[in-house]
Amino acid sequence: MGERPIFIGNVDSSARVTDIEKAFSEFGEIKRIDLKSGFAFVYLDGDHKGAVRALDGQKLFSTSRRMRVELARGDGDVKKREDERRQLAETNPTNTLFVVNFDANRTSTRDIERLCQEYGHVVRIDMKRNFAFVEFETVAEATKAMKALNGLMYGDRNLSVEYKASGPRIYCDLFFLVIP
């Protein structure tokens, strides 16, 4: 899976992962599909360029919308910062997980809590529209949940679960200079 993912834009809200699988399956083995609101990423072991050529501008789903299909732009500053954030999170695990790629219209805070509570004591959930931070009592519980839930098919989407990256801590000492 060394190549960049394939970006699909203009995805109808009624589209499902199975629709995308059907469209891309002839181009190789699908490793993962991240379906977002209005767009998706397909991680494919196979003919990326062939898929883009064949599917760009097509009506992939049961709508009249033409999809924009292209190789994801993963070589810029945003990707670099995201990779650095992920590396920092992996080397400094926390007791808080970042959970994303669930259906925001069908998933409640209680749903996330039920999903996570079998892996440990959930202290707090801070849920935004389409992502959540789930705080566990210990790092060990968070690690257990992350290993079990990352990539899990939840509804019709693959969850992405990572440690929350805590930015670099800056410590400063205050010095007072007394002038006589």
Side-chain angles (χ1 to χ4, degrees):
M1 206 163 67
E3 288 202 46
R4 290 180 287 176
I6 298 170
F7 171 82
I8 309 171
N10 205 22
V11 174
D12 187 78
S13 61
S14 66
R16 299 287 170 240
V17 168
T18 54
D19 299 324
I20 297 170
E21 285 173 343
K22 214 178 295 179
F24 281 84
S25 62
E26 69 182 88
F27 298 100
E29 182 183 355
I30 297 170
K31 294 297 187 182
R32 186 173 102 212
I33 296 173
D34 288 346
L35 179 60
K36 311 292 186 183
S37 184
F39 64 98
F41 292 98
V42 177
Y43 295 81
L44 178 73
D45 268 351
D47 186 7
H48 290 75
K49 291 178 182 173
V52 169
R53 277 192 305 273
L55 299 174
D56 186 37
Q58 299 297 313
K59 297 177 184 179
L60 298 181
F61 313 111
S62 58
T63 71
S64 60
R65 292 174 147 188
R66 294 189 183 277
M67 301 298 119
R68 192 175 89 215
V69 180
E70 61 189 46
L71 290 178
R73 296 180 195 132
D75 52 352
D77 289 338
V78 172
K79 182 177 184 327
K80 183 180 177 188
R81 283 193 310 271
E82 187 63 18
D83 288 344
E84 288 170 355
R85 184 198 63 76
R86 280 193 174 107
Q87 185 177 15
L88 177 66
E90 282 295 318
T91 57
N92 299 308
T94 68
N95 64 330
T96 303
L97 299 178
F98 173 68
V99 181
V100 69
N101 204 34
F102 50 81
D103 186 335
N105 297 318
R106 297 183 182 150
T107 306
S108 68
T109 302
R110 181 68 184 126
D111 294 329
I112 297 292
E113 183 179 16
R114 276 194 291 268
L115 185 66
C116 294
Q117 67 188 8
E118 77 177 82
Y119 305 103
H121 177 71
V122 176
V123 175
R124 184 176 63 88
I125 297 175
D126 183 13
M127 188 163 153
K128 306 298 183 198
R129 179 164 157 64
N130 61 347
F131 65 92
F133 292 102
V134 180
E135 182 181 348
F136 286 86
E137 202 163 271
T138 67
V139 172
E141 291 172 341
T143 299
K144 185 177 171 185
M146 184 184 72
K147 287 179 179 177
L149 300 175
N150 188 38
L152 177 78
M153 183 65 86
Y154 185 70
D156 63 348
R157 299 174 184 213
N158 292 93
L159 290 179
S160 179
V161 181
E162 306 172 352
Y163 293 113
K164 175 186 173 195
S166 56
R169 293 203 164 97
I170 300 172
Y171 297 98
C172 59
D173 294 321
L174 295 177
F175 294 96
F176 295 98
L177 179 59
V178 179
I179 303 176

